[in-house]
Each structure stands twice: as structure tokens, then as C-alpha cells.
């Protein structure tokens, strides 16, 4: 003991300090280190779960993005189809309108031609009657009223007009 005393070490204090240290270590391990380690393990587990959830969410987001792209592509395809159908309908409608307009124009032209034919025939008839009347008037004046047979002259004038008309 003297050797320890010469070194300045008091053995009973050393033993008390060693016992206190061991007791403190046991208390810390029992009441502090265990719960802290459990808390750290729980936190580690929560972080793993969060990372797993984040990875799952990222995968779902990527899948949803792909689905959205597919939906957008389909919508564009449908929009192009609608535009093409609208253009075709417009072309078809324009063709129908043009055909109707052409038919109406042709119908009007036919009516005008028919009206002109009727008017020409009416005028020819009037001219024929006027020529016959004038010829009879001329014949009466030149031959005399008593010698002219009006119905015979009218027949002659009609024959002459028929020959001239042909």
C-alpha cells in the first residue's frame, strides 16, 4: 500500500471510484443507453419506411406520368381525327352546295331558254299574222275588195310562211 500511497493513489478511493463508475455504467446502460438505442432503431426503421414510401410514390408518379402521356397522345389522335372528319364534312358540304347551285343555275337557264322559245314562237305567230293581214290588205288594195277571197288568201299566206319558216 505504501507503493500506491507514494504514487498518490488512495486504494479505498480508487475502489469506490471503480464501483461508482461501474454502477454509473450499469445505470446508464439500463436506463439511458437501451431506450436511446431503441429510439434510434425506431427512427432508422421510420427512415427506411419513408424511403420505401418515397420510392413507391416515385414509381407511381412515373407510371401516372406515362399514363398521362398515353392519354394526351390518345387525345391528340382523337383531335386529329375530329379535325380530319370536320374538314371532310366541310368539303362534302361545299360540294353539295356547289352541286345544288349548279343545278339551280341549270334549271334557271332551262327556264330562260324555254321562256325565250315561247316568246320567239309567240313573236313568230304575231309576225305571221301581221304579214298575212298586211298581204291581204295589199291584195285588197291592188285587186279590189270584191275579187279577194280572204280565207283562200290566208291559206296561201300560211303555206308561204311555212315554207319560209322551214
Amino acid at each position: 500500500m505504501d507503493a500506491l500511497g507514494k504514487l498518490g493513489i488512495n486504494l479505498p478511493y480508487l475502489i469506490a471510484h471503480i464501483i461508482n463508475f461501474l454502477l454509473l455504467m450499469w445505470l446508464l446502460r439500463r436506463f439511458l443507453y437501451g431506450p436511446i438505442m431503441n429510439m434510434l432503431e425506431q427512427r432508422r426503421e421510420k427512415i427506411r419506411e419513408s424511403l420505401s414510401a418515397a420510392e413507391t410514390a416515385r414509381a407511381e408518379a412515373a407510371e401516372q406520368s406515362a399514363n398521362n402521356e398515353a392519354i394526351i397522345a390518345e387525345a391528340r389522335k382523337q383531335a386529329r381525327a375530329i379535325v380530319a372528319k370536320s374538314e371532310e364534312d366541310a368539303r362534302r358540304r361545299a360540294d353539295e352546295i356547289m352541286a345544288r347551285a349548279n343545278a339551280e343555275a341549270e334549271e334557271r337557264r332551262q327556264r330562260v331558254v324555254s321562256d325565250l322559245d315561247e316568246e320567239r314562237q309567240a313573236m313568230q305567230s304575231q309576225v305571221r299574222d301581221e304579214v298575212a293581214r298586211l298581204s291581204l290588205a295589199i291584195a285588197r288594195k291592188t285587186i279590189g275588195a270584191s275579187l279577194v277571197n280572204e280565207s283562200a288568201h290566208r291559206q296561201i299566206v300560211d303555206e308561204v310562211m311555212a315554207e319560209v319558216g322551214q
Side-chain angles (χ1 to χ4, degrees), residues 6-126:
K6 286 184 184 177
L7 291 175
I9 297 176
N10 187 351
L11 187 63
Y13 283 133
L14 180 64
I15 292 174
H17 283 295
I18 290 174
I19 290 174
N20 281 338
F21 180 75
L22 291 175
L23 181 63
L24 184 63
M25 285 297 293
W26 179 79
L27 286 173
L28 286 175
R29 181 173 260 196
R30 169 94 172 141
F31 295 109
L32 190 62
Y33 182 70
I36 288 177
M37 291 307 284
N38 285 338
M39 182 186 69
L40 289 175
E41 185 61 35
Q42 288 173 355
R43 184 170 174 145
R44 191 176 294 125
E45 186 60 33
K46 284 182 183 178
I47 290 171
R48 262 191 237 116
E49 288 174 3
S50 294
L51 289 174
S52 174
E55 181 64 27
T56 303
R58 188 193 63 72
E60 287 176 359
E63 182 180 328
Q64 186 62 38
S65 176
N67 287 343
N68 290 345
E69 289 297 323
I71 289 170
I72 288 170
E74 181 63 25
R76 285 182 181 146
K77 180 180 174 185
Q78 289 176 356
R80 282 191 296 270
I82 289 170
V83 167
K85 184 178 182 299
S86 296
E87 288 174 350
E88 180 61 32
D89 288 348
R91 270 190 234 106
R92 184 179 44 79
R93 188 84 169 120
D95 290 346
E96 288 174 2
I97 290 170
M98 287 300 292
R100 230 180 300 140
N102 288 338
E104 287 176 10
E106 180 61 24
E107 183 180 321
R108 286 182 185 160
R109 190 188 69 74
Q110 289 294 334
R111 268 187 285 167
V112 167
V113 166
S114 174
D115 290 348
L116 287 175
D117 268 351
E118 288 174 10
E119 195 173 318
R120 183 181 51 81
Q121 288 174 0
M123 289 180 83
Q124 283 178 346
S125 176
Q126 285 177 352

Side-chain angles (χ1 to χ4, degrees), residues 127-141:
V127 167
R128 192 176 304 128
D129 290 345
E130 188 64 26
V131 167
R133 190 182 64 74
L134 287 174
S135 341
L136 286 174
I138 291 171
R140 272 191 199 131
K141 291 207 179 211

